[in-house]
Amino acid sequence: KGHDRAMAYPIRIAVQLQPQQADYAQIRRAVAEAEDAGVDMIFNWDHFFPLYGAPDGKHFECWTMLGAWAEATSRVEIGALVTCNSYRNPELLADMARTVDHISGGRLVLGIGAGWFRRDYDEYGYDFGTPGSRLAGLAQALPRIRRRWEQLNPPPTRHIPVLVGGGGERKTLRYTAEHADIWHGFGDAATVARKSRILDAHCADVGRDPAEIVRSTGVQQPPDQVADALVDAGVRLFTAGVGGPDYDLGPLRQWLRWRDAQRSAA
């Protein structure tokens, strides 16, 4: 079933350009290079400090950057993998997303998750709470974002796709079934396949066609090692993570060649 779902859609390749350890000029060059290479989507992330390398190294804010990417790019979809729900009021986030949607000509994907990186919370004055309280905040925010989009003037240029990142089987996947267009999972193919089946069950519970939700995952290995199993697990959006300051897109180009071969074969 997962394989049939994956084959019903074109395979897409994304890159997450991690906005850390680099000057903005280096990030902007990597964005241009990735778009020129033919990538389908470019993500950053929503943190205030580096996750890898020097913990106090260079770092830039997510949504300000997405506004700049909206002007600096012309073809790719853009978004955060993922926005931390705790850092912005849902109505404000909806307005920010609608604005970037317009600036980009309808190319924004709203990636969102419950949040997890304690240093961000502590140093920027947010209440870290508990996993349960952060998930409850996400559950409350998702419908508020949709309602705000319906009230804004002008409205979004399109149905802004919502990507929910996370693998919590009881809550996160339930919220995904209720509100998301894309689910970004983590782990190997067997883990993604198992959680995807749980997502299907949640879809049945809420009356949603599971085929409406694109399955996405991050990839760290080359396609000849993992792609077939992930496709069989139902994945159709593959994201290669690339860190600064050098932003080596060599691994990404392997995935782009694999995607193009799949499309040619189809």
Side-chain angles (χ1 to χ4, degrees):
K1 182 176 179 181
H3 185 270
D4 292 344
R5 179 189 298 113
M7 291 298 97
Y9 299 98
I11 286 171
R12 293 187 296 165
I13 302 299
V15 63
Q16 183 191 53
L17 298 175
Q18 301 160 359
Q20 59 174 359
Q21 315 296 353
D23 292 320
Y24 183 69
Q26 294 171 300
I27 298 172
R28 191 184 187 284
R29 283 196 296 271
V31 169
E33 184 180 350
E35 183 169 44
D36 289 346
V39 75
D40 297 295
M41 304 173 72
I42 304 177
F43 294 115
N44 60 8
W45 67 29
D46 189 20
H47 294 288
F48 305 129
F49 302 96
L51 299 186
Y52 311 120
D56 294 314
K58 296 173 181 176
H59 202 280
F60 290 99
E61 195 276 326
C62 168
W63 275 89
T64 313
M65 185 180 303
L66 290 176
W69 287 8
E71 287 282 9
T73 59
S74 61
R75 178 188 58 78
V76 292
E77 289 189 298
I78 57 174
L81 190 65
V82 290
T83 304
C84 176
N85 176 66
S86 307
Y87 302 158
R88 300 163 194 87
N89 168 283
E91 282 72 24
L92 171 62
L93 180 60
D95 203 340
M96 292 164 61
R98 182 278 312 248
T99 300
V100 175
D101 165 67
H102 275 264
I103 296 169
S104 67
R107 295 183 288 115
L108 178 79
V109 173
L110 176 60
I112 192 167
W116 63 273
F117 190 43
R118 178 149 200 161
R119 184 182 180 190
D120 283 347
Y121 287 79
D122 289 348
E123 295 211 24
Y124 276 63
Y126 296 103
D127 179 17
F128 189 59
T130 65
S133 68
R134 295 194 298 277
L135 283 165
L138 178 64
Q140 294 166 8
L142 288 164
R144 286 170 61 181
I145 289 167
R146 291 278 188 211
R147 286 196 297 270
R148 181 56 52 179
W149 282 339
E150 294 171 358
Q151 298 167 23
L152 289 170
N153 183 18
T157 68
R158 64 169 180 166
H159 171 91
I160 296 176
V162 172
L163 177 154
V164 169
E169 297 175 6
R170 191 164 59 88
K171 293 182 178 179
T172 303
L173 293 180
R174 175 76 174 205
Y175 308 154
T176 302
E178 292 172 341
H179 300 290
D181 304 282
I182 305 169
W183 168 60
H184 186 82
F186 305 91
D188 60 15
T191 301
V192 171
R194 182 176 63 79
K195 290 183 182 289
S196 189
R197 290 191 295 270
I198 294 169
L199 176 56
D200 289 348
H202 283 301
C203 286
D205 289 342
V206 303
R208 182 99 184 267
D209 180 357
E212 294 177 359
I213 302 175
V214 175
R215 315 303 160 106
S216 166
T217 195
V219 289
Q220 297 177 318
Q221 297 167 281
D224 61 358
Q225 295 183 22
V226 296
D228 288 348
L230 288 169
V231 169
D232 286 342
V235 175
R236 77 169 180 118
L237 176 59
F238 300 81
T239 300
V242 181
D246 298 328
Y247 296 107
D248 175 11
L249 299 188
L252 172 66
R253 293 179 190 277
Q254 293 184 46
W255 279 96
L256 293 173
R257 289 191 292 269
W258 171 79
R259 176 203 64 190
D260 293 344
Q262 300 301 304
R263 292 180 178 178
S264 297

